[in-house]
Amino acid sequence: MGNILFVLGLALIIGLPKTVLFFTRRPKLKGTAAFTGGVVLILLRWPLIGFLVELYGIFILFGDFFATMGSFAANIPVIGPYLQKALNRASQASGGRRNAELPV
């Protein structure tokens, strides 16, 4: 249920045409398929495998956004520098493309 609400919330925030465009871009099709497949697996009562497939899809879809999150997280007191390092590593592991195809 939360996954469907996540997609609906994204559509409300950036608009339906941009949401459809974001999920149907050629480089994002693998992530979209994984995310949708994970939701289907969860609905078919395979929650652990569905969650892992869905998590993979989210990393493919929103991996470019980790660098932006890292720069925001750097301003959090005490844990900010550690979060920034972890998110920067995750961003570099996903190809190192900094905000290449953000939906907005």
Side-chain angles (χ1 to χ4, degrees):
M1 185 66 144
N3 307 323
I4 297 168
L5 292 175
F6 168 73
V7 174
L8 289 174
L10 187 64
L12 287 173
I13 290 172
I14 66 172
L16 189 60
K18 284 187 180 181
T19 303
V20 171
L21 181 67
F22 175 75
F23 282 105
T24 57
R25 285 187 184 153
R26 189 168 191 80
K28 304 286 185 184
L29 286 177
K30 184 166 48 167
T32 302
F35 183 77
T36 306
V39 171
V40 169
L41 284 173
I42 289 172
L43 293 174
L44 293 175
R45 296 181 181 232
W46 288 72
L48 182 61
I49 295 172
F51 174 74
L52 293 175
V53 171
E54 195 174 311
L55 189 63
Y56 172 74
I58 287 174
F59 280 128
I60 296 296
L61 286 170
F62 299 104
D64 300 336
F65 192 59
F66 286 139
T68 304
M69 288 181 0
S71 63
F72 176 76
N75 296 326
I76 298 174
V78 181
I79 61 170
Y82 302 109
L83 288 174
Q84 183 181 23
K85 287 179 186 177
L87 289 172
N88 282 339
R89 276 193 218 128
S91 174
Q92 291 171 355
S94 72
R97 304 172 310 227
R98 296 189 146 238
N99 299 330
E101 296 179 30
L102 290 178
V104 289

